[in-house]
Amino acid sequence: MSRPTPLVAGNWKMNGLRAALAEITGMGQAYDAGLKSKLELLICPPAILIGAAADVARGTGIAIGAQDCHAKADGAHTGDIAAEMVADAGGSFIIVGHSERRADHGESDAVVHAKAQAAVRAGLKAIICVGETEAERRAGKTLDVVGRQLDGSIPASLTAANLVVAYEPVWAIGTGLTPTAADVAEVHAFIRQRLGQIIGKEAGGVRLLYGGSVKPSNAAELMGVPNVDGALVGGASLKASDFMAIAGVYR
Ligand code: PEP
């Protein structure tokens, strides 16, 4: 299978008021035809900005997505949003199972699995996040943990067209620390192989993103690792200049 088109995705987390949408305008201006032919770009703003972000991004080629969704399509779930609402607002991706959701909201692999199914039910793409804690890495359990998360979180019916997997070591998120290229290569090769057991032949075409302290100065090295098909970027996605410098490694 040929290499999938890379995806560089920004996760704004709980950052950004309406004024921040100007950054998407700036990203759109820098996302020229040359770059568009090389990679896809995605911004996942806070849920309340998804509709406005989709309006701002229209015509730029930048996709807009959500950082989470509920597993159900509607109902009595105060404060939650359904995947169908993300689609209705103009979103096309949903991040599920981010470690901050797993830790802050107690989301289990089963919950993440249900949310990924919800994203696909709504016609969207699921970005399923996995990754070990620092203690798990020190104990030599990285592949065990990631394997268990993949097995529990990924619906077997997903395909290369609607599934993206993000490897995000918890200890690398927002810390400025990153694994070595060799460590990333080992985990991504393992993810590709394990995905084959879960979804079969489609695994070869699934984008595997690396996430955790990606910035302009380390993007080229991390994006050059085998089986790394893009990045999930937190802090450095808030400014158009940083985000587009990361995307620019694919030029
Ligand atoms: C993230 O939260 O998905 C992330 C990768 O954050 P940061 O780039 O800030 O480490």
Side-chain angles (χ1 to χ4, degrees), residues 6-83:
L7 171 68
V8 173
N11 172 15
W12 281 8
K13 313 192 185 192
M14 200 173 72
N15 296 296
L17 303 177
R18 277 182 297 167
L21 297 173
E23 298 299 326
I24 297 178
T25 305
M27 292 169 191
Q29 284 158 356
Y31 190 34
D32 57 33
L35 266 187
K36 281 181 186 156
S37 70
K38 300 274 174 56
L39 84 161
E40 281 184 55
L41 287 184
L42 165 68
I43 292 292
C44 298
I48 198 162
L49 289 181
I50 291 172
D55 288 343
V56 168
R58 190 162 299 118
T60 65
I62 298 174
I64 299 299
Q67 302 168 16
D68 179 45
C69 67
H70 196 279
K72 299 251 173 71
D74 51 37
H77 303 289
T78 302
D80 281 314
I81 56 167

